[in-house]
Short mmCIF file of all heavy atoms in Angstrom, two decimals:
data_model
loop_
_atom_site.label_atom_id
_atom_site.label_comp_id
_atom_site.label_asym_id
_atom_site.label_seq_id
_atom_site.Cartn_x
_atom_site.Cartn_y
_atom_site.Cartn_z
N GLY A 13 39.36 45.94 175.92
CA GLY A 13 40.79 45.65 175.76
C GLY A 13 41.49 45.85 177.08
O GLY A 13 41.03 46.62 177.92
N ALA A 14 42.61 45.16 177.24
CA ALA A 14 43.39 45.28 178.47
C ALA A 14 43.77 46.74 178.69
O ALA A 14 43.82 47.53 177.74
CB ALA A 14 44.65 44.43 178.35
N PRO A 15 44.05 47.11 179.95
CA PRO A 15 44.58 48.45 180.18
C PRO A 15 45.83 48.66 179.32
O PRO A 15 46.66 47.77 179.22
CB PRO A 15 44.93 48.46 181.67
CG PRO A 15 44.79 47.07 182.17
CD PRO A 15 43.91 46.35 181.20
N GLY A 16 45.90 49.81 178.66
CA GLY A 16 47.06 50.09 177.82
C GLY A 16 46.98 49.47 176.44
O GLY A 16 47.92 49.58 175.66
N SER A 17 45.84 48.85 176.09
CA SER A 17 45.74 48.23 174.78
C SER A 17 45.44 49.25 173.69
O SER A 17 45.46 48.92 172.51
CB SER A 17 44.66 47.14 174.78
OG SER A 17 43.42 47.71 175.12
N LYS A 19 42.64 51.68 173.84
CA LYS A 19 41.23 52.06 173.65
C LYS A 19 41.10 53.58 173.49
O LYS A 19 40.39 54.06 172.62
CB LYS A 19 40.39 51.59 174.85
CG LYS A 19 40.43 50.08 175.08
CD LYS A 19 39.56 49.66 176.24
CE LYS A 19 40.01 50.20 177.59
NZ LYS A 19 41.22 49.55 178.15
N SER A 38 34.81 55.71 180.66
CA SER A 38 34.50 55.68 182.10
C SER A 38 35.71 56.14 182.91
O SER A 38 35.57 56.89 183.88
CB SER A 38 34.07 54.28 182.53
OG SER A 38 35.03 53.32 182.13
N GLY A 39 36.92 55.75 182.51
CA GLY A 39 38.12 56.16 183.24
C GLY A 39 38.30 57.68 183.18
O GLY A 39 38.62 58.31 184.19
N ASP A 40 38.07 58.27 181.99
CA ASP A 40 38.20 59.74 181.86
C ASP A 40 37.17 60.46 182.73
O ASP A 40 37.48 61.47 183.37
CB ASP A 40 38.02 60.18 180.40
CG ASP A 40 39.20 59.78 179.53
OD1 ASP A 40 40.21 59.29 180.08
OD2 ASP A 40 39.11 59.95 178.30
N LEU A 42 35.88 59.41 185.48
CA LEU A 42 36.29 59.32 186.89
C LEU A 42 37.48 60.22 187.18
O LEU A 42 37.52 60.89 188.21
CB LEU A 42 36.63 57.86 187.25
CG LEU A 42 35.46 56.88 187.12
CD1 LEU A 42 35.93 55.44 187.35
CD2 LEU A 42 34.34 57.24 188.10
N ARG A 43 38.45 60.27 186.26
CA ARG A 43 39.62 61.14 186.49
C ARG A 43 39.22 62.61 186.58
O ARG A 43 39.80 63.38 187.34
CB ARG A 43 40.69 60.90 185.41
CG ARG A 43 41.54 59.65 185.68
CD ARG A 43 42.66 59.47 184.68
NE ARG A 43 42.17 59.00 183.38
CZ ARG A 43 41.90 57.72 183.10
NH1 ARG A 43 42.09 56.78 184.00
NH2 ARG A 43 41.46 57.38 181.91
N TYR A 59 39.51 53.25 194.94
CA TYR A 59 39.58 52.00 194.16
C TYR A 59 40.68 52.09 193.10
O TYR A 59 41.47 51.17 192.92
CB TYR A 59 38.24 51.72 193.46
CG TYR A 59 37.11 51.45 194.41
CD1 TYR A 59 36.24 52.47 194.79
CD2 TYR A 59 36.91 50.18 194.95
CE1 TYR A 59 35.20 52.23 195.67
CE2 TYR A 59 35.88 49.93 195.83
CZ TYR A 59 35.02 50.96 196.19
OH TYR A 59 34.01 50.72 197.07
N ILE A 60 40.69 53.22 192.39
CA ILE A 60 41.61 53.36 191.25
C ILE A 60 43.06 53.23 191.71
O ILE A 60 43.86 52.55 191.06
CB ILE A 60 41.37 54.70 190.53
CG1 ILE A 60 39.97 54.69 189.90
CG2 ILE A 60 42.43 54.97 189.48
CD1 ILE A 60 39.57 55.96 189.19
N GLY A 63 44.12 49.78 191.89
CA GLY A 63 43.96 48.96 190.69
C GLY A 63 42.72 48.08 190.77
O GLY A 63 42.62 47.08 190.07
N GLN A 64 41.77 48.47 191.63
CA GLN A 64 40.53 47.69 191.74
C GLN A 64 39.42 48.33 190.92
O GLN A 64 39.41 49.54 190.72
CB GLN A 64 40.08 47.64 193.21
CG GLN A 64 41.02 46.88 194.10
CD GLN A 64 40.67 47.06 195.57
OE1 GLN A 64 39.84 47.89 195.93
NE2 GLN A 64 41.32 46.29 196.41
N LEU A 65 38.46 47.51 190.53
CA LEU A 65 37.28 48.05 189.86
C LEU A 65 36.35 48.69 190.88
O LEU A 65 36.28 48.24 192.02
CB LEU A 65 36.52 46.93 189.14
CG LEU A 65 37.21 46.29 187.95
CD1 LEU A 65 36.30 45.22 187.33
CD2 LEU A 65 37.58 47.33 186.90
N LEU A 66 35.64 49.73 190.44
CA LEU A 66 34.58 50.28 191.29
C LEU A 66 33.45 49.25 191.37
O LEU A 66 33.26 48.48 190.43
CB LEU A 66 34.01 51.56 190.66
CG LEU A 66 34.71 52.87 191.03
CD1 LEU A 66 36.12 52.91 190.49
CD2 LEU A 66 33.91 54.05 190.49
N ILE A 71 29.56 52.44 189.33
CA ILE A 71 29.97 52.85 187.98
C ILE A 71 28.79 52.81 187.00
O ILE A 71 28.69 53.69 186.13
CB ILE A 71 31.17 51.99 187.47
CG1 ILE A 71 31.74 52.57 186.17
CG2 ILE A 71 30.82 50.54 187.28
CD1 ILE A 71 32.55 53.81 186.35
N ASP A 94 34.25 53.48 176.01
CA ASP A 94 35.61 52.99 176.28
C ASP A 94 35.69 52.73 177.78
O ASP A 94 35.56 53.65 178.57
CB ASP A 94 36.60 54.06 175.78
CG ASP A 94 37.95 54.04 176.51
OD1 ASP A 94 38.22 53.14 177.32
OD2 ASP A 94 38.74 54.98 176.26
N GLY A 95 35.86 51.47 178.16
CA GLY A 95 36.07 51.15 179.58
C GLY A 95 34.81 50.79 180.35
O GLY A 95 34.88 50.49 181.54
N PHE A 96 33.68 50.81 179.75
CA PHE A 96 32.42 50.41 180.36
C PHE A 96 31.51 49.82 179.29
O PHE A 96 31.41 50.43 178.23
CB PHE A 96 31.72 51.63 181.00
CG PHE A 96 30.36 51.30 181.56
CD1 PHE A 96 30.21 50.92 182.89
CD2 PHE A 96 29.22 51.34 180.75
CE1 PHE A 96 28.96 50.59 183.40
CE2 PHE A 96 27.97 51.01 181.26
CZ PHE A 96 27.84 50.64 182.58
N PRO A 97 30.84 48.73 179.54
CA PRO A 97 30.88 47.80 180.68
C PRO A 97 32.18 46.99 180.76
O PRO A 97 32.79 46.68 179.73
CB PRO A 97 29.72 46.85 180.41
CG PRO A 97 28.89 47.47 179.33
CD PRO A 97 29.81 48.34 178.57
N ARG A 98 32.54 46.63 182.00
CA ARG A 98 33.75 45.85 182.27
C ARG A 98 33.42 44.51 182.90
O ARG A 98 34.30 43.67 183.05
CB ARG A 98 34.58 46.57 183.33
CG ARG A 98 35.46 47.67 182.85
CD ARG A 98 36.87 47.17 182.79
NE ARG A 98 37.88 48.05 183.36
CZ ARG A 98 38.18 49.27 182.99
NH1 ARG A 98 37.48 49.85 182.06
NH2 ARG A 98 39.16 49.93 183.56
N GLN A 102 27.62 44.80 184.83
CA GLN A 102 27.49 46.12 184.20
C GLN A 102 26.84 46.00 182.82
O GLN A 102 25.99 46.82 182.44
CB GLN A 102 28.87 46.77 184.05
CG GLN A 102 29.54 47.09 185.38
CD GLN A 102 30.95 47.63 185.22
OE1 GLN A 102 31.36 48.05 184.13
NE2 GLN A 102 31.71 47.62 186.30
N ILE A 134 53.07 51.42 178.96
CA ILE A 134 52.58 52.09 180.14
C ILE A 134 53.61 53.00 180.78
O ILE A 134 53.31 54.10 181.24
CB ILE A 134 52.09 51.02 181.16
CG1 ILE A 134 50.84 50.37 180.62
CG2 ILE A 134 51.83 51.60 182.53
CD1 ILE A 134 49.75 51.34 180.24
N ARG A 137 53.62 56.41 179.17
CA ARG A 137 52.33 57.04 178.90
C ARG A 137 52.09 58.29 179.74
O ARG A 137 52.29 58.29 180.94
CB ARG A 137 51.22 56.03 179.15
CG ARG A 137 49.83 56.64 179.02
CD ARG A 137 48.81 55.61 178.76
NE ARG A 137 48.38 54.94 179.97
CZ ARG A 137 47.33 54.14 180.00
NH1 ARG A 137 46.65 53.89 178.90
NH2 ARG A 137 46.98 53.56 181.11
N ARG A 170 49.48 58.99 185.01
CA ARG A 170 48.40 58.43 185.83
C ARG A 170 48.99 57.72 187.04
O ARG A 170 49.90 56.90 186.88
CB ARG A 170 47.57 57.44 185.00
CG ARG A 170 46.51 58.13 184.18
CD ARG A 170 45.84 57.20 183.21
NE ARG A 170 45.34 55.97 183.79
CZ ARG A 170 44.54 55.12 183.13
NH1 ARG A 170 44.16 55.41 181.90
NH2 ARG A 170 44.13 54.02 183.69
N ASP A 172 47.88 55.36 188.61
CA ASP A 172 47.71 53.89 188.55
C ASP A 172 48.53 53.25 187.43
O ASP A 172 48.40 52.08 187.15
CB ASP A 172 46.22 53.51 188.43
CG ASP A 172 45.54 54.12 187.21
OD1 ASP A 172 46.11 55.04 186.59
OD2 ASP A 172 44.43 53.67 186.87
N ARG A 181 45.77 45.77 187.71
CA ARG A 181 44.72 46.09 186.72
C ARG A 181 44.66 45.03 185.63
O ARG A 181 43.58 44.64 185.19
CB ARG A 181 44.99 47.47 186.11
CG ARG A 181 44.68 48.61 187.06
CD ARG A 181 45.35 49.90 186.64
NE ARG A 181 44.96 50.34 185.32
CZ ARG A 181 45.68 51.15 184.56
NH1 ARG A 181 46.85 51.61 184.99
NH2 ARG A 181 45.24 51.50 183.37
P1 ATP B 301 43.56 52.15 179.86
O1 ATP B 301 42.99 53.51 180.04
O2 ATP B 301 45.01 52.08 179.89
O3 ATP B 301 42.98 51.43 178.69
P2 ATP B 301 42.08 50.92 181.93
O4 ATP B 301 41.08 50.40 180.97
O5 ATP B 301 42.49 50.04 183.06
O6 ATP B 301 43.33 51.32 181.17
P3 ATP B 301 40.48 53.18 182.66
O7 ATP B 301 39.40 52.66 181.81
O8 ATP B 301 40.95 54.55 182.49
O9 ATP B 301 41.75 52.29 182.59
O10 ATP B 301 40.03 52.96 184.19
C1 ATP B 301 40.84 53.36 185.26
C2 ATP B 301 40.25 52.84 186.55
O11 ATP B 301 38.93 53.39 186.74
C3 ATP B 301 40.06 51.33 186.63
O12 ATP B 301 41.23 50.67 187.05
C4 ATP B 301 38.92 51.24 187.66
O13 ATP B 301 39.39 51.42 188.97
C5 ATP B 301 38.05 52.43 187.30
N1 ATP B 301 37.02 52.07 186.30
C6 ATP B 301 36.90 52.56 185.04
N2 ATP B 301 35.88 51.99 184.38
C7 ATP B 301 35.33 51.09 185.24
C8 ATP B 301 34.27 50.15 185.15
N3 ATP B 301 33.55 50.03 184.03
N4 ATP B 301 34.01 49.39 186.23
C9 ATP B 301 34.69 49.51 187.37
N5 ATP B 301 35.72 50.36 187.51
C10 ATP B 301 36.05 51.15 186.47
#
Side-chain angles (χ1 to χ4, degrees):
S17 59
K19 301 182 295 286
S38 53
D40 288 353
L42 298 174
R43 280 184 285 278
Y59 295 96
I60 295 178
Q64 293 170 351
L65 292 181
L66 271 66
I71 189 75
D94 154 7
F96 175 92
R98 277 258 226 299
Q102 295 175 16
I134 290 306
R137 174 159 81 169
R170 276 171 52 170
D172 58 346
R181 286 162 59 203

